[in-house]
Amino acid sequence: MEMHQVRYFLAVAQLLNFTRAAEECNVTQPSLTRAIKQLEAELGGDLFRRERPAAQLTELGQRMQPLLKQCYDAAAGARSLASSFKSGEIGALRVALTHSIDLALLIPHLDEIRRQFNRLEFHFLRGSNREVAEFLKKGEAELGIAAEIDEAWERLDVWPLFTETFDLVVSREHRLAGHVTIEPDDLRAEQLLGRNYCEHSRRISASLREHGVDVDHGHEVSSERDLIELVEADIGVAMMPRTSPVPDSLKRTAVAGLDARRTVSLYGVAGRQRTAVANAVMRLLRGADWRLVAG
């Protein structure tokens, strides 16, 4: 079935006249008639009763009209969308982030990018560091942002963006809330909240364990929102990266002598063609001054 056959059928179905339909479609009447006969042969029955000077839809034609119109409209929409993407009127960005990366880091850059397109579509995917790597491998995401992707894949390009520290986050009523800096020993009496969705949770736990802090009998949470609510309730304390936002009800405190740093990087797939939007976002992120963000 060809789209021009469908277009000719819809024109005749609307005008109920082969001659006028041919004029509407800017083709000769023999060409239009031949195309509709080919369509009837493919569908296995007559679509019109030829009653000069008018034409009438058969029962098959009546049943096929809404289906073929839907088919034609979908094809026309696909062509229009493809043309808009090609001309740059519409852009799309598919980016995967690990659970520990705050989307607010990207907002200023995405806001700048969307001014360059009449219409911009964002597709955000979340997952663990391994899941982000899989999104990139399968082509479900063009760019990835993570503190660390433990994946030995030769096609994985990595561009470090910034390095940040982890702070202790406590409630305002906590005994450590008024301290600018504390020592790891100050945490020995605390019950820690484990951020098992963070790429560096094991490394942070290992560093705390080396300083005699009990990290094996703490609370485990699987989302930043749950963690913040537990800290607000003074049920535990947590180590959080500097770029993770916390409400005014919580206080940050630096921990001296602790190996608590992570590098957030941009990831892509080498040799794979990227959209204009992805290339523009990549240039913005790599060229940005992250010092104010990471502290």
Side-chain angles (χ1 to χ4, degrees):
M1 184 184 302
E2 300 289 341
M3 281 301 105
H4 73 277
Q5 297 172 338
V6 177
R7 182 163 66 95
Y8 297 167
F9 163 77
L10 293 175
V12 177
Q14 180 182 9
L15 299 172
L16 298 178
N17 186 289
F18 278 74
T19 301
R20 290 173 57 197
E23 294 173 353
E24 179 77 15
C25 296
N26 198 27
V27 295
T28 64
Q29 182 174 336
S31 296
L32 180 139
T33 302
R34 184 166 54 252
I36 289 181
K37 286 183 177 180
Q38 291 172 348
L39 181 60
E40 289 175 326
E42 293 181 27
L43 296 177
D46 292 339
L47 298 172
F48 297 101
R49 290 190 297 272
R50 278 77 168 174
E51 299 177 359
R52 294 181 181 276
Q56 298 295 328
L57 283 166
T58 63
E59 183 176 352
L60 176 61
Q62 291 174 2
R63 291 178 178 269
M64 293 302 301
Q65 185 179 12
L67 298 176
L68 292 178
K69 187 176 188 311
Q70 182 180 9
C71 175
Y72 183 78
D73 289 345
R79 285 195 298 270
S80 176
L81 181 61
S83 177
S84 296
F85 269 100
K86 187 176 181 180
S87 65
E89 294 178 4
I90 296 179
L93 175 67
R94 293 172 289 114
V95 58
L97 305 93
T98 53
H99 295 296
S100 68
I101 301 296
D102 182 30
L103 185 61
L105 293 171
L106 300 184
I107 297 301
H109 309 287
L110 299 180
D111 190 49
E112 184 174 343
I113 282 295
R114 70 186 180 90
R115 297 193 190 102
Q116 302 177 22
F117 296 84
N118 293 333
R119 179 179 164 193
L120 188 57
E121 299 174 357
F122 296 124
H123 302 272
F124 298 110
L125 301 170
R126 286 285 190 178
S128 65
N129 51 357
R130 290 189 178 183
E131 288 171 331
V132 168
E134 286 299 311
F135 289 142
L136 291 169
K137 280 184 177 181
K138 296 177 180 179
E140 296 176 15
E142 292 184 279
L143 302 176
I145 300 178
E148 180 179 304
I149 290 184
D150 185 18
E151 178 69 40
W153 187 36
E154 65 278 4
R155 293 190 61 192
L156 198 62
D157 279 339
V158 186
W159 299 278
L161 298 178
F162 61 87
T163 300
E164 63 178 337
T165 60
F166 279 70
D167 296 326
L168 180 72
V169 176
V170 300
S171 69
R172 283 190 171 272
E173 292 75 28
H174 195 275
R175 65 183 183 87
L176 299 175
H179 293 69
V180 177
T181 305
I182 64 170
E183 298 294 328
D185 289 347
D186 295 323
L187 296 175
R188 291 185 177 179
E190 300 298 329
Q191 193 159 22
L192 295 172
L193 297 169
R195 301 168 71 247
N196 56 18
Y197 50 88
C198 178
E199 304 94 302
H200 280 61
S201 61
R202 291 184 180 179
R203 187 176 303 175
I204 298 295
S205 296
S207 183
L208 289 169
R209 193 178 287 110
E210 288 176 359
H211 287 83
V213 179
D214 183 9
V215 297
D216 300 317
H217 297 88
H219 305 296
E220 289 289 334
V221 296
S222 57
S223 76
E224 210 86 317
R225 180 176 179 178
D226 292 344
L227 180 141
I228 288 174
E229 289 183 351
L230 290 171
V231 176
E232 285 179 326
D234 211 9
I235 292 176
V237 299
M239 296 295 298
M240 296 181 66
R242 185 67 54 87
T243 57
S244 291
V246 297
D248 293 338
S249 57
L250 304 182
K251 293 285 289 184
R252 290 183 180 273
T253 303
V255 182
L258 191 67
D259 180 17
R261 297 172 67 86
R262 72 173 186 174
T263 298
V264 175
S265 299
L266 173 67
Y267 293 85
V269 179
R272 182 177 293 169
Q273 186 175 2
R274 300 184 185 93
T275 63
V277 180
N279 282 326
V281 170
M282 180 179 292
R283 288 193 297 269
L284 280 176
L285 295 182
R286 294 179 63 186
D289 185 355
W290 294 97
R291 289 174 294 181
L292 294 177
V293 175

